[in-house]
Amino acid sequence: MSKPLSDHDRKKQISVRGLAGVENVAELKQNFNRHLHFTLVKDRNVATRRDYYFALAHTVREHLIGRWIRTQQYYYEKDPKRVYYISLEFYMGRALQNTMVNLALENACDEAMYQLGLDMEELEDMEEDAGLGNGGLGRLAACFLDSMASLGLAAYGYGIRYEFGIFNQKIVNGWQVEEADDWLRFGNPWEKARPEYMRPVQFYGRTEHHPDGVKWVDTQVVLALPYDTPIPGYRNNVVNTMRLWSAKAPCDFNLKDFNVGGYIQAVLDRNLAENISRVLYPNDNFFEGKELRLKQEYFVVSATLQDIIRRFKVSKFGSREIARTDFSKLPDKVAIQLNDTHPAMAIPELMRVLVDEEKLGWDKAWDICIRTCAYTNHTVLPEALERWPVDLFAHLLPRHLEIVYEINRRHLERVAAKFPGDHDRMRRMSLIEEGGQKRINMAHLCIVGSHAVNGVAQIHSDILKATIFKDFYEMEPNKFQNKTNGITPRRWLVMCNPGLAEVIAERIGEDYIRDLDQLQKLRKFVNDDAFIRDIAKVKQENKLKFAVHLEEHYKVKINPNSMFDIQVKRIHEYKRQLLNCLHIITYYNRIKKEPNKQWTPRTVMIGGKAAPGYHTAKMIIRLITAIGEVVNNDPVVGDRLKVIFLENYRMSLARISIPAADLSQQISTAGTEASGTGNMKFMLNGALTIGTMDGANVEMAEEAGEDNLFIFGMRVEDVDAMDVRGYHAQEYYNRLPELKQAIDQIAGGFFSPKQHDLFKEIVNMLMHHDRFKVFADYEDYIKCQEKVNALYKNPKEWTKKVIYNIAGCGKFSSDRTIAQYAREIWGMEPTLEKLPHERLIMVDTVRLPKAP
């Protein structure tokens, strides 16, 4: 058990963690025991730790319910514009601590559990991560939900309730092995099923063209069952909703055809329909054109749009009557944000509903569609762009294919009018890619069907306008914007690093938690010895805590005074974990060569999942574990260098690893990482960054001062120039002896003594077809790492740079990002005012409508 807080620690932590009033604590204990008894049907003799977690979760959830109902009532009364954030991924992690932080219940719950003889941290560890995302894109959606609620926006997150989230990663004999993530096995106390709002979603069939319009007939129907999860704002009484859809077969599924004797088989076949929400596709920055994935994309979009239109038509609370029929007002009341192209089907689906069902003319419908929708692009990697085969579309969504063709016909007419005779431009800008297999370019569909298109960091937005969307930018320059990503300081500082949050609050108060720009005030403490000491002390405590975790899990003795050098992110060639490996090997070789020199001790940790079908990424993991086997067992090196692969990197591991980091590695080839958000989390938690001028690193250097980051390597212009003249890995190999030695060791079996050619594919790739130019940045990277080592030997100067970094983090709050989306794309105004926590209008005082 982690030791209970001393009275001094309790007092110290009061400000950020909320007050533990006596009545509060007594009430929490009473409710906890009530839930243990009535909800879980257990007593203290037979209750397990999981039962105690569930009892606490239900107790905390009770504090959400009143605010949740009141918030929704308030939206009905005020009828504000609503924003719908549609995403195939929401990487939410755990909800218990987040809810306690945002409701200021943390100290009271802590005290209540302590008085009941339970340990809060142990209970928190019982919660499953809601891992309904792959990485950055899904976690961004989760941070955005937190910020939208904290800024008082009437916002809804819409996605899929995957039965199985991102796989659990096991490392077996150095290799990644995947295990299904059965996160719902014990139930989910935070969700509420809403079967009364079930919606039908149609697939397949054919179209019939009649004088009075088009009908989509002979379809197969799957039902979308919504599950609602509360999203509490930070101490403002707002609780918004994330609604995730689950697929259900209708009762008559496969029975309509009435094949005699086919009844049992028909019931068994219900699984086929319900497979739609079975599992998250585990690809990050990679498009896999599978029918099931297209079904998932249309499923979430169709169900969500039905909900949006129902809510638009019914404007009064408790009333089922249709109050609004004028769709020209839709863009004044609804904003739809498409998180990447995955929900791009929202555009043709909205057109289908407006034209086929609501009988609007095309031009009117198209104007409404464009003014309602906006699109966020997340990558420039060509293999990540969604390009669906036309024949798959024709089979699964025949009406939508007709609509896409019509959108394209009119779009190309506009292009021809603006650039007459430029046939090549028309070919490039078409939504349909001709060639071997005709495909629909979903990014082009999103640009044409939206009023705003944004990248997620300034450099990324500039690259979009200059390269992959250049033709579209020249046609409609005002469509293109930048919205640099951000992270929520509630989860990524207050929750995961309470010690640091407290040290900051002691100096500048705690308003910075909802206004992160106030961190600038820390600049005046950069030479304050007491503050420097406090910052260093918190870091050391976090490192000791993480070291204990590592020693328990990896049986490797960690030197807590070593530099904790961490690279955690999805394993991908463009993220260049291989460059990190080459530094590790080079450093190892240098220590071996001069073992008596005063080397800066390092513990290098690399973590992240490889997509199950991505062979090279899995080989990279095997290389990292192989290097660790050699380095960690070399007595000459001792504790001056350790290499650990962090197994099953996920939200709950990020929570303890990020606050413990000294050095954050953000080393993608310039121009490939759209933004990155891990980079911001490390910066906010007091790590220094070694990185390329890529993604948000550029803006981090701007905010903290370039001198306070370790920037190295080619810039985007250098990479472009190299693409023109050609990248020749062999030249670097021949010219740089330490690089040659490292590659020869990998190729010759030094790290794989039982199978000398184990890594021949990696070496072959690096030497002959490396798209991401690892060798080109090697020399500058090694030199930059020498600067890192030198500075680490001077703890005071290191910590001063840390303070400049924390002070420069204000821009990277997702509150700032969301305020910009609201004002510049959605036409909404954020507010920091609290929702009045009035007495609730309970159901029995609402006159229920007569049953129809």
Side-chain angles (χ1 to χ4, degrees), residues 420-630:
D422 193 341
H423 296 297
D424 204 47
R425 181 184 296 261
M426 287 185 53
R427 180 189 54 74
R428 292 195 308 267
M429 292 183 74
S430 175
L431 309 192
I432 313 293
E433 297 178 357
E434 306 287 346
Q437 191 184 31
K438 282 170 76 165
R439 292 175 174 272
I440 302 175
N441 184 313
M442 302 305 272
H444 291 185
L445 174 62
C446 285
I447 297 168
V448 170
S450 298
H451 69 278
V453 175
N454 73 280
V456 289
Q458 191 61 59
I459 188 176
H460 169 232
S461 297
D462 292 342
I463 288 170
L464 291 179
K465 295 188 291 193
T467 60
I468 62 168
F469 299 155
K470 181 170 188 278
D471 294 319
F472 293 90
Y473 175 65
E474 288 171 358
M475 182 133 170
E476 299 180 282
N478 296 336
K479 244 186 207 188
F480 290 80
Q481 303 189 20
N482 174 58
K483 297 285 170 279
T484 300
N485 284 162
I487 58 175
T488 169
R490 273 73 64 181
R491 185 174 293 263
W492 296 112
L493 180 57
V494 179
M495 245 177 91
C496 69
N497 204 339
L500 180 57
E502 219 28 84
V503 165
I504 295 170
E506 281 167 11
R507 299 313 195 283
I508 65 170
E510 55 173 304
D511 281 354
Y512 74 88
I513 297 169
R514 51 158 54 85
D515 176 15
L516 207 64
D517 282 326
Q518 292 189 28
L519 289 178
Q520 290 171 15
K521 296 176 186 169
L522 294 177
R523 290 200 180 112
K524 64 173 178 280
F525 297 101
V526 78
N527 293 306
D528 178 323
D529 284 344
F531 187 60
I532 291 171
R533 260 198 316 277
D534 285 349
I535 292 285
K537 179 169 173 278
V538 166
K539 178 61 71 180
Q540 203 49 40
E541 286 167 359
N542 290 334
K543 288 174 71 173
L544 284 166
K545 185 176 173 182
F546 191 43
V548 168
H549 170 89
L550 291 172
E551 286 174 21
E552 280 174 13
H553 285 77
Y554 297 99
K555 314 294 178 238
V556 175
K557 186 87 185 82
I558 304 293
N559 171 5
N561 298 313
S562 66
M563 183 200 309
F564 282 19
D565 164 352
I566 308 189
Q567 184 181 24
V568 283
K569 48 188 73 245
R570 287 296 293 258
I571 309 294
H572 202 299
E573 289 161 84
Y574 87 85
K575 295 178 185 281
R576 297 203 295 191
Q577 283 90 358
L578 286 172
L579 184 57
N580 193 348
C581 288
L582 291 177
H583 169 252
I584 296 169
I585 295 170
T586 302
Y587 199 48
Y588 170 76
N589 289 333
R590 287 181 178 184
I591 296 171
K592 291 284 281 184
K593 194 174 172 188
E594 300 181 77
N596 298 322
K597 209 172 140 185
Q598 284 301 299
W599 299 100
T600 306
R602 283 204 191 210
T603 303
V604 183
M605 300 170 234
I606 303 177
K609 292 173 184 176
Y614 188 176
H615 175 71
T616 304
K618 290 185 145 180
M619 287 308 301
I620 291 169
I621 291 175
R622 185 64 190 95
L623 177 62
I624 296 162
T625 57
I627 294 168
E629 284 159 26
V630 171

